[in-house]
Amino acid sequence: MAELKADVLVLGAGMVGVGAALHLQKRGRDVVLVDKHQLAGEETSYGNGGLIESASVFPYMFPRDFGEILRTAMNRAPQVRYAVSDLPAFLPWLVRYYLASAPDRALAGALAVMPLIRSSLIEHEALIAEAGVPELMRKSGWIKMFRSEATLARAVRDFERAKQYGVQGDILDDAAIHEREPHLSGEFAGAVHFTEPGFVLDPGGLAKAYAALFQRKGGRFVVADARTLEQDAGGRWSVATSDGRLSAREAVVALGPWSDLVTGPLGYSLPFNVKRGYHLHLASRGNAVLNHPVLDTDLGYLLAPMNRGIRLTTGVEFARRDAPPTPVQIARALPRAHALFPLGEPVDAKPWMGARPCLPDMLPAIGRAPRHPSLWFDFGHHHHGLTLGPVTGRLLAEMMTGERPFADPAPFAVERFG
């Protein structure tokens, strides 16, 4: 059977992989998008809060407050849960995460990723217009609510700091919260309404719309197992498909939480881990309407008005990527969410579980593989895969095609880990 050929194989059809494929295609490359599913956006890109976080200029770092660390260690923080049996496996990574979260290192990381964060909505808007799906995004921002004066005060300080870097928003008191969200119940110390970010009403659907755009423009989408990736004596990369081997001069690893299954056998030992998360869609009762995504910060869950229903999302679970689901955080959040908003019956048969791919400094790996000049990395986007997929795709495509990168790619090179 004849070998199928292309310029570039992009392994992974989540938001990150599709973003890279589109930008490479735009620069004249013959690109094949490879995924184990028949459709794009079926894994991590499907389950998230739907936020294009152009205001999140500071990454999600390990807490430095002793009380918060103690609550987390005792498994009493609603925002984080861990499986005690898995602690030996991920404790060394947590130590690296803690060290990378030192204030000076965290600030350096924030400054490095800021050009990408601040350009993220611009890149999405361009692709949404080209894909013809403006109905999938609102530009109303999201609301981060606080029940205690202490957590509100810290948030206001953080917001004032973020304003120095161009972040916009409003400080809300309890009355203003209920004015913007009249169907919420309960009393709050206050909130921050981040007014800039976009909100996607169907994240998996947006990835599919971008993949459809890629195919309309001549791109190929092939079902294959990325773990079959091989390099031949001539330096070409190939994967096995039902129609034979598919080969290309270059390959991009954009497999999110499964990226190590390809990079590991090739000799790359990266400090890679996952943060698992869950969501559940529920109907609204009566004529109740939720206008924005709202984060009940102190109780550790978010409600977002998706096309499928109100999506209840949890915080972080530290567990093995492939361990059976343990949706304890969903069970704990459900009564709190029912008290906050008039929720009806679940739309989903069971909670969805996904995994966020993380490196300890909460920066993605973007760039050339050190020992394989024709292999490229585009993974590790932690909580910001939806946000950063198109913009890191642009950065990667500029590097691969010899353009001058719009942002400094050096902080995202895997050589930073030695």
Side-chain angles (χ1 to χ4, degrees):
M1 191 174 293
E3 184 180 57
L4 305 174
K5 294 186 177 182
D7 293 332
V8 186
L9 302 179
V10 175
L11 307 179
M15 185 58 72
V16 172
V18 174
L22 279 165
H23 273 286
L24 285 164
Q25 182 185 62
K26 181 179 179 180
R27 288 158 177 80
R29 296 297 191 265
D30 178 18
V31 183
V32 177
L33 193 56
V34 177
D35 200 89
K36 65 181 180 180
H37 294 288
Q38 297 282 346
L39 298 172
E42 290 289 280
E43 294 287 355
T44 306
S45 295
Y46 173 75
N48 54 66
L51 302 174
I52 300 175
E53 263 290 53
S54 55
S56 185
V57 295
F58 297 106
Y60 291 89
M61 306 308 290
F62 198 101
R64 312 303 283 185
D65 177 76
F66 178 76
E68 189 174 351
I69 294 174
L70 183 62
R71 285 192 300 275
T72 301
M74 297 175 67
N75 248 345
R76 295 176 60 185
Q79 298 85 356
V80 181
R81 181 182 180 274
Y82 67 92
V84 176
S85 60
D86 291 337
L87 185 60
F90 60 76
L91 185 58
W93 185 89
L94 284 178
V95 172
R96 295 189 71 156
Y97 184 20
Y98 175 80
L99 295 174
S101 300
D104 57 337
R105 296 180 65 182
L107 178 59
L111 294 176
V113 79
M114 198 170 299
L116 278 62
I117 290 287
R118 301 300 289 162
S119 298
S120 59
L121 184 57
I122 296 169
E123 293 293 333
H124 270 287
E125 287 180 316
L127 287 180
I128 285 172
E130 194 174 1
V133 287
E135 71 279 2
L136 287 182
M137 188 175 74
R138 296 178 186 170
K139 293 184 65 177
S140 52
W142 65 286
I143 300 175
K144 189 174 185 179
M145 306 182 301
F146 302 89
R147 294 179 179 268
S148 82
E149 295 290 346
T151 54
L152 173 64
R154 286 198 295 270
V156 170
R157 288 197 298 271
D158 290 343
F159 175 56
E160 292 299 326
R161 181 189 184 201
K163 285 169 64 176
Q164 301 174 30
Y165 300 98
V167 174
Q168 299 178 23
D170 302 318
I171 304 295
L172 310 180
D173 59 16
D174 186 67
I177 293 172
H178 288 91
E179 180 180 341
R180 298 187 190 196
E181 292 293 349
H183 290 103
L184 295 185
S185 300
E187 295 184 2
F188 290 87
V192 180
H193 181 188
F194 296 98
T195 54
E196 286 183 291
F199 167 59
V200 177
L201 286 79
D202 181 357
L206 186 62
K208 290 174 175 61
Y210 289 171
L213 171 64
F214 168 74
Q215 290 177 283
R216 287 199 302 272
K217 296 173 68 175
R220 288 175 282 170
F221 188 114
V222 172
V223 176
D225 186 344
R227 292 174 297 179
T228 65
L229 183 71
E230 295 178 352
Q231 188 177 35
D232 65 21
R236 292 183 68 86
W237 296 95
S238 68
V239 292
T241 77
S242 58
D243 295 321
R245 303 274 326 167
L246 169 63
S247 78
R249 296 194 307 269
E250 297 178 289
V252 176
V253 180
L255 292 163
W258 297 277
S259 296
D260 62 325
L261 298 181
V262 170
T263 61
L266 293 173
Y268 296 96
S269 180
L270 302 176
F272 191 72
N273 201 3
V274 301
K275 297 179 182 180
R276 304 203 314 181
Y278 299 83
H279 80 228
L280 182 70
H281 292 101
L282 301 105
S284 299
R285 283 194 288 110
N287 62 350
V289 174
L290 189 64
N291 298 312
H292 310 79
V294 293
L295 177 65
D296 194 346
T297 307
D298 297 336
L299 298 184
Y301 66 91
L302 179 138
L303 294 180
M306 299 283 182
N307 285 345
R308 186 171 169 80
I310 303 298
R311 180 178 286 187
L312 166 63
T313 73
T314 68
V316 168
E317 179 188 54
F318 286 104
R320 289 178 291 111
R321 177 188 55 214
D322 302 318
T326 53
V328 173
Q329 289 165 301
I330 285 282
R332 291 174 178 170
L334 266 172
R336 298 164 178 168
H338 276 282
L340 177 68
F341 183 81
L343 294 169
E345 293 299 313
V347 176
D348 302 325
K350 61 181 181 179
W352 176 91
M353 184 193 77
R356 309 172 183 96
C358 299
L359 293 160
D361 56 6
M362 292 297 106
L363 297 178
I366 310 293
R368 192 189 301 271
R371 293 189 297 278
H372 298 84
S374 56
L375 182 68
W376 299 80
F377 294 161
D378 190 6
F379 57 81
H381 291 63
H382 57 100
H383 299 258
H384 287 332
L386 174 66
T387 296
L388 293 176
V391 75
T392 58
R394 174 187 167 185
L395 180 64
L396 181 73
E398 289 171 345
M399 297 170 68
M400 291 178 66
T401 58
E403 291 183 39
R404 181 175 180 176
F406 80 97
D408 182 6
F412 312 115
V414 296
E415 287 90 339
R416 69 188 190 268
F417 298 114

